[in-house]
Amino acid sequence: MPIKLRIATFNLENLDDKPGDKPTLDERIAVMRPQLQRLNADILCLQEVNGQEAVGQPRRILALQKLIEGTPYANFASVSTMTEDNKQVYDERNLVILSRFEILGHQQYKHKFAPPPLYRMVTATPADKEAKEVTWERPFLHATIKLPDSQILNVINVHLKSKLPSPIPGQKLNNYTWKTPSGWAEGFFLSSIKRVGQALETRIFIDQLFDADENALVAVCGDFNAEIDEVPVEAIRGDVENTGNGKLSKRVMVACERSIPEPARFSLLHQGKGRMLDHVLISRRLLAYYRGAEIHNELLHDESLAFATDVLYPESDHAPVLAQFELPDGRATAKAVALT
């Protein structure tokens, strides 16, 4: 029997349970739990999972645990990003991987393969006298998952830097107002450096997986904050058209959404326009078993419009993205060969 596999990614948009939050966690669960149940995922990559604190205990992802109560996900294996001391999850924007199958190991990476670049701000007040390190806020999370036929699937969960401009000292009147277009432009530039830097680090790690096994099963899932033809996604894809090297064809990562008709190909709405920012990218070997993708965007709302606050829309402003696969059962094949 073939192994059916459903891999999904979903940015939960600051899932939290702080006192006084509007909408409340219960209000969010009422609309978001059915979304998770509809996915019926075997492997689920989540972004923006905030941590909650309890007296005398390390910070944990309690809001997520409450969200998945009463669903199959409650019994899944689970790994998440952790603080550098490995004692608790981050306060905000954790990455989480839930798996129906055994997780053999996991690790998170930040500036492991790509050191922070140096940059000297040109519009800052006071002016920078020397270049400083530009670090990105979030690591990526890698898990090795054992499939039922003992094949190993590498799942990478990413959340790249948003396009919101990074702070420039002395260039803002308040949180929402910039003093000059130049200051805004440099902040936007810095965010681009961080986003592409994260993509570069992810791509270097993917190449290491292919160095070890050119036929590796790899899926990179998450919120890329970039569309398929923008630099961060292109960097991770590694298309032959960009490298000019046909010998690297097995290392290309393929965007599953390409099999979805273009009018329905969006995971976020911004000022009335659909944007595809959430992706499932798969290795060529995994592509052989790919059977289709879905974007659950039927009820997606546009938070960029006037009065479109979270109070009115307790669900996420991102749509879940699902990829489906049908893998041959390696154990059955091996048994058949042994009997011949």
Side-chain angles (χ1 to χ4, degrees):
M1 289 289 290
I3 299 167
K4 294 188 177 181
L5 177 65
R6 296 165 66 89
I7 302 175
T9 183
F10 191 11
N11 183 326
L12 299 179
E13 192 191 5
N14 292 313
L15 183 72
D16 213 333
D17 192 18
K18 287 186 171 66
D21 272 357
K22 292 292 183 181
T24 66
L25 178 60
D26 286 341
E27 289 170 333
R28 300 201 68 192
I29 288 174
V31 295
M32 295 176 70
R33 184 179 288 164
Q35 290 181 290
L36 296 180
Q37 292 171 317
R38 177 188 177 190
L39 285 171
N40 190 28
D42 298 298
I43 297 170
L44 180 58
C45 293
L46 301 172
Q47 302 85 45
E48 293 201 23
V49 180
N50 292 353
Q52 292 75 46
E53 297 180 359
V55 177
Q57 296 185 2
R59 191 183 302 117
R60 294 172 291 166
I61 47 175
L62 301 177
L64 176 61
Q65 292 174 13
K66 190 172 181 181
L67 172 62
I68 63 177
E69 277 179 6
T71 74
Y73 302 112
N75 298 316
F76 278 22
S78 172
V79 294
S80 69
T81 46
M82 304 285 287
T83 54
E84 291 185 5
D85 59 13
N86 205 37
K87 292 183 178 179
Q88 58 185 352
V89 300
Y90 292 108
D91 182 32
E92 296 182 331
R93 297 183 178 88
N94 288 282
L95 302 172
V96 177
I97 299 175
L98 301 173
S99 174
R100 186 187 306 277
F101 311 117
E102 180 184 359
I103 297 178
L104 298 176
H106 72 281
Q107 187 58 268
Q108 64 189 51
Y109 299 100
K110 175 185 170 186
H111 297 308
K112 167 72 173 178
F113 309 107
L118 297 175
Y119 176 74
R120 183 171 65 86
M121 296 185 193
V122 297
T123 66
T125 305
D128 275 352
K129 294 182 179 180
E130 58 184 20
K132 298 176 182 177
E133 289 186 344
V134 178
T135 64
W136 31 94
E137 293 83 3
R138 293 180 288 270
F140 68 83
L141 180 63
H142 168 245
T144 52
I145 296 174
K146 183 180 179 181
L147 298 178
D149 64 347
S150 296
Q151 291 192 83
I152 301 301
L153 174 65
N154 292 277
V155 175
I156 300 170
N157 189 357
V158 303
H159 185 188
L160 305 189
K161 177 70 179 75
S162 74
K163 294 184 178 180
L164 292 175
S166 295
I168 304 294
Q171 278 291 340
K172 295 193 77 172
L173 298 173
N174 54 50
N175 286 339
Y176 306 101
T177 310
W178 288 83
K179 285 184 178 180
T180 67
S182 299
W184 173 88
E186 186 167 31
F188 187 81
F189 175 59
L190 274 177
S191 291
S192 300
I193 292 175
K194 296 175 183 178
R195 187 165 55 257
V196 177
Q198 287 177 280
L200 169 63
E201 185 159 46
T202 303
R203 182 66 235 192
I204 292 172
F205 177 73
I206 293 169
D207 280 334
Q208 291 195 1
L209 294 177
F210 288 129
D211 287 342
D213 178 6
E214 66 176 5
N215 292 311
L217 297 174
V218 184
V220 184
C221 312
D223 178 0
F224 291 63
N225 273 305
E227 300 204 60
I228 190 172
D229 57 353
E230 293 184 272
V231 173
V233 183
E234 284 205 35
I236 294 176
R237 281 165 42 198
D239 291 351
V240 170
E241 291 85 347
N242 289 333
T243 64
N245 188 346
K247 294 181 179 179
L248 300 177
S249 61
K250 284 189 175 182
R251 297 181 176 229
V252 171
M253 301 297 294
V254 182
C256 291
E257 76 253 20
R258 279 183 158 165
S259 63
I260 295 176
E262 191 169 350
R265 198 185 302 163
F266 62 92
S267 63
L268 182 136
L269 290 172
H270 182 73
Q271 296 184 356
K273 180 181 178 181
R275 306 288 302 277
M276 190 67 200
L277 304 184
D278 304 84
H279 307 275
V280 176
L281 307 181
I282 58 174
S283 59
R284 294 288 286 266
R285 166 99 184 281
L286 194 54
L287 179 65
Y289 313 125
Y290 174 64
R291 295 297 179 264
E294 300 173 3
I295 307 170
H296 296 175
N297 53 20
E298 298 92 341
L299 294 174
L300 195 61
H301 63 278
D302 190 340
E303 284 196 358
S304 66
L305 301 180
F307 311 113
T309 67
D310 287 337
V311 175
L312 296 177
Y313 299 104
E315 63 268 36
S316 173
D317 58 351
H318 287 251
V321 179
L322 172 70
Q324 303 175 68
F325 304 86
E326 200 169 276
L327 285 75
D329 190 335
R331 295 172 303 182
T333 302
K335 184 176 180 181
V337 171
L339 293 174
T340 58

